[in-house]
Amino acid sequence: YLLMNDNLNFGMAVFVLAHELRHLDQMAKGIIRMEQQGRILHPHQTTLYNWFVEADANAASIDIAWRLKQAGMPEAWDAARSLPDHRADVTDAYYRAMKKTGDADAAKLAAFNTWFQDGFIETYTHQSTHSGLTKPLRENLIRQGAQVSELAQDDLTKFGSYLSDALSVDQYF
C-alpha cells in the first residue's frame, strides 16, 4: 500500500506519487524485493541495491515532472526544484543535462549519477540498516524456502537492463 502525507501541495503529491509508482514498476518487473524472489541478501548488499533502486526512482520522478511541465502542468517540476539541499541538486543535474543536450535519457542519467554524489547515500544507508529484515521475518522467509545469497552479477545485469529499458522514457506517455 501507499501512504501519502495529506499536507503535501498538489505538485509535491504528484512528484511523490511518480516516485512511488516507479517503485511499483520496479517491483512488477522483479527488480526490487529480493525476498519475494526467495532470496535474502547480506545487509551491506541490500544497502547497495537499495541505492540503485532509489536513484532510479528519483531520476524517473524528475523526468516525469519535467515532461508534465513541458505539457503545461509545471506543479510537479516546481515542487522538485523546491526540494531542500541535495534533492534539488539531483533535479538541477537533470535540468542542466536537458538544456545542454535536449536528450531525456542523458538528463535521467545525470540525475541518477548525481544521486550518488549527494546526501542521499547517508540517508538511505541509515534507512536500509534500520529497516531491513527483522529476525522473525528472516526466519519465516527461510522456513518458506528463501535462501541467503550474494548479490550476483546477474542481479546487476538485470537491473542494468531495466535501467536501459527505462531510459526509453516514451513509455510513460
Side-chain angles (χ1 to χ4, degrees):
Y1 57 90
L2 173 65
L3 298 174
M4 299 264 303
N5 182 336
D6 60 0
N7 292 323
L8 297 177
N9 65 41
F10 176 74
M12 188 58 72
V14 170
F15 182 72
V16 169
L17 184 58
H19 177 98
E20 296 307 327
L21 287 174
R22 180 54 162 211
H23 286 316
L24 179 62
D25 183 57
Q26 292 165 335
M27 191 177 296
K29 292 180 176 154
I31 299 303
I32 58 175
R33 308 295 298 195
M34 291 293 187
E35 62 270 16
Q36 290 177 339
Q37 301 171 32
R39 298 176 57 208
I40 300 169
L41 298 176
H42 184 280
H44 293 133
Q45 292 181 343
T46 299
T47 297
L48 174 65
Y49 204 71
N50 285 343
W51 288 349
F52 292 135
V53 167
E54 288 301 326
D56 172 62
N58 276 275
S61 59
I62 290 166
D63 181 59
I64 290 169
W66 173 261
R67 289 174 173 270
L68 289 169
K69 178 183 185 297
Q70 297 306 302
M73 298 170 277
E75 295 88 355
W77 179 255
D78 293 343
R81 297 285 311 257
S82 73
L83 290 168
D85 53 63
H86 53 276
R87 292 173 286 183
D89 295 342
V90 176
T91 304
D92 289 342
Y94 179 98
Y95 179 76
R96 285 190 308 275
M98 183 57 83
K99 287 299 182 186
K100 180 178 180 181
T101 67
D103 180 3
D105 292 350
K108 278 182 68 178
L109 185 58
F112 182 89
N113 289 337
T114 301
W115 188 94
F116 290 94
Q117 299 168 13
D118 286 306
F120 281 112
I121 293 217
E122 182 179 325
T123 300
Y124 284 97
T125 300
H126 178 78
Q127 185 181 45
S128 291
T129 302
H130 296 288
S131 66
L133 293 176
T134 62
K135 185 176 179 180
L137 180 56
R138 178 186 168 94
E139 290 171 353
N140 188 42
L141 287 168
I142 290 172
R143 275 195 300 279
Q144 294 174 11
Q147 300 291 316
V148 176
S149 65
E150 296 291 316
L151 190 58
Q153 181 63 43
D154 286 348
D155 298 319
L156 298 176
T157 300
K158 183 178 181 181
F159 196 84
S161 294
Y162 172 78
L163 288 176
S164 292
D165 292 345
L167 286 176
S168 175
V169 293
D170 292 333
Q171 68 182 324
Y172 301 125
F173 298 92

